[in-house]
Amino acid sequence: MIVWLNGTFGAGKTTTAQELLDLLPGSTLYDPELLGYGLRMMLPAKRLAEVDDFQDLPAWRRMVVDTAAALLTEVPGPLVTPMTLLRQEYRDEIFGSLAARRIPVQHFLLDAGETILRERVARREESAGDDGNTSSLRRWSLDHLGPYAEALSWLKDDAHVVDTGLLTPRQTAEQIAEAVRSGTGDCGIVQTPEPTAETLAAGVLLFDDEDRVLLVDPTYKPGWEFPGGIVEHGESPTRAGIREVAEELGLRLPRTPRLLVLDWEAPAPPGFGGLRLLFDGGRLTEDQTSALLLPGSELRDWRFVTEAEAEHMLPPVRFHRLRWALRAREQGCPLLLEAGVPTGG
């Protein structure tokens, strides 16, 4: 298990983490920032210049998960992780990948009012011979108060909030330890295990009366997606699509969906690729749309979007698949794709 302590500088993550080690038997401090330092030492300067923060490196996000899994083979856990995560898509990627490894996460937000945070930053005094490092850290901390405030809209919904404004680190740690024991803050993400070979997946496109397509926002990976998922052993693709729509949206399709595209997705480490099918689930009525339900452990939102809007919401590989699926729907003829490009005539 991982006890993830989120929050901006001055909220007390590091000192609280140290106190938690005394309160949670078998716990180990796990600081992903050390992985960032390592990448800074190993990656070429040109690559580092392309990102503003080491969290923007896909390698860092993968290493956070892989290292946690490796540590939990050596220590009983939990891992106490004081690490700021302000971008929701990074939270989805990391927590979703941990869920796929069957590593549960309890997410805590250590929060204090902006006035208190600014006072704590201001109390950091220059130390002799630090060559201005403290001043740089102070400026960095103040610069991140704005992004932190913007992230609070989703953080407070995702994490269990602990107001550290009037608490000592020990008192904060005691509250978190009790919450850990009671299961508070658990991120109950439903995620299938990571694939070990190529997979077969079925997605279903659903439309409104303006022919906008429905996309869903998963809690377990970044970006938007079509309703659908992995075809289970012994299950037909159409049956998988029908099942996934029912499980994800609470919607029973009145008819078997029609195939639009069959796309071979090339392997791209760490993914294995495989066959991806998109089906036409038809137009939803107003009553069907108003009755849509989302499982909180899998999806946080849904939205009807135009093709142009989808381009900015979907990863390129899925947008290309959608674009050709919409053409196939217009023409009334399914298409065979390889890596998102039509083939076979």
Side-chain angles (χ1 to χ4, degrees), residues 16 34 44 64 67 70 75 82 84 113 126 140 192 229 280 285 299 302 328:
T16 297
L34 297 176
V64 170
T67 305
V75 298
T84 300
E126 296 281 359
W140 182 91
T192 56
D280 183 359
T285 65
L299 305 174
W302 62 266

Side-chain angles (χ1 to χ4, degrees), residues 266-332:
F272 290 90
L275 290 178
R276 309 290 182 250
L277 290 80
L278 276 184
F279 295 93
D280 183 359
R283 287 192 178 95
L284 301 185
T285 65
E286 289 187 10
D287 288 342
Q288 287 174 315
T289 300
S290 62
L292 292 178
L293 301 172
L294 294 178
S297 57
E298 291 187 59
L299 305 174
R300 65 167 60 92
D301 199 5
W302 62 266
R303 188 181 305 172
F304 284 113
V305 300
T306 65
E307 182 177 347
E309 291 169 332
E311 184 173 10
H312 301 288
M313 299 169 67
L314 293 171
V317 65
R318 287 199 281 275
F319 174 70
H320 292 316
R321 193 174 300 140
L322 170 66
R323 182 182 62 183
W324 288 113
L326 296 178
R327 302 293 89 78
R329 183 171 180 257
E330 293 170 357
Q331 298 165 9

Side-chain angles (χ1 to χ4, degrees), residues 19-228:
E19 296 285 354
L20 266 176
L21 298 180
D22 293 335
L23 299 173
L24 298 177
S27 60
T28 298
L29 182 67
Y30 171 40
D31 187 356
E33 192 163 0
L34 297 176
L35 303 176
Y37 294 149
L39 285 172
R40 286 191 181 120
M41 296 290 290
M42 292 182 283
L43 287 176
K46 180 180 178 181
R47 177 66 182 113
L48 293 173
E50 294 172 349
V51 299
D52 296 324
D53 189 291
F54 61 72
Q55 293 194 9
D56 298 330
L57 294 167
W60 179 82
R61 302 193 295 275
R62 288 198 294 269
M63 288 173 63
V64 170
V65 177
D66 292 342
T67 305
L71 280 174
L72 287 172
T73 67
E74 303 287 346
V75 298
L79 302 181
V80 178
T81 304
M83 189 73 227
T84 300
L85 274 182
L86 300 185
R87 294 186 59 169
Q88 193 172 33
E89 63 268 32
Y90 293 170
R91 171 267 181 223
D92 292 350
E93 180 179 348
I94 293 170
F95 287 13
S97 296
L98 289 167
R101 299 287 191 96
R102 298 295 188 260
I103 301 173
V105 177
Q106 288 183 262
H107 189 195
F108 296 92
L109 174 65
L110 278 58
D111 185 43
E114 182 175 343
T115 300
I116 293 176
L117 291 172
R118 288 184 177 275
E119 289 174 352
R120 290 177 180 175
V121 172
R123 283 200 297 267
R124 291 187 65 94
E125 296 179 353
E126 296 281 359
S127 58
D130 73 350
D131 296 325
N133 289 336
T134 302
S135 294
S136 297
L137 180 59
R138 185 184 295 120
R139 288 193 300 271
W140 182 91
S141 302
L142 292 174
D143 288 344
H144 280 71
L145 288 179
Y148 172 68
E150 293 175 3
L152 283 176
S153 60
W154 71 266
L155 277 173
K156 288 189 173 182
D157 288 336
D158 193 78
H160 177 69
V161 181
V162 178
D163 187 342
T164 67
L166 300 178
L167 300 179
T168 66
R170 185 70 178 190
Q171 291 171 331
T172 302
E174 289 171 349
Q175 283 197 21
I176 292 173
E178 179 58 34
V180 168
R181 287 188 282 267
S182 67
T184 304
D186 178 51
C187 289
I189 301 172
V190 174
Q191 172 67 297
T192 56
E194 292 184 337
T196 57
E198 291 184 347
T199 53
L200 174 63
V204 180
L205 302 184
L206 301 165
F207 300 89
D208 65 4
D209 56 8
E210 299 178 28
D211 272 344
R212 296 179 301 175
V213 66
L214 186 143
L215 299 181
V216 293
D217 183 12
T219 61
Y220 54 86
K221 62 180 176 181
W224 291 69
E225 182 59 282
F226 320 114

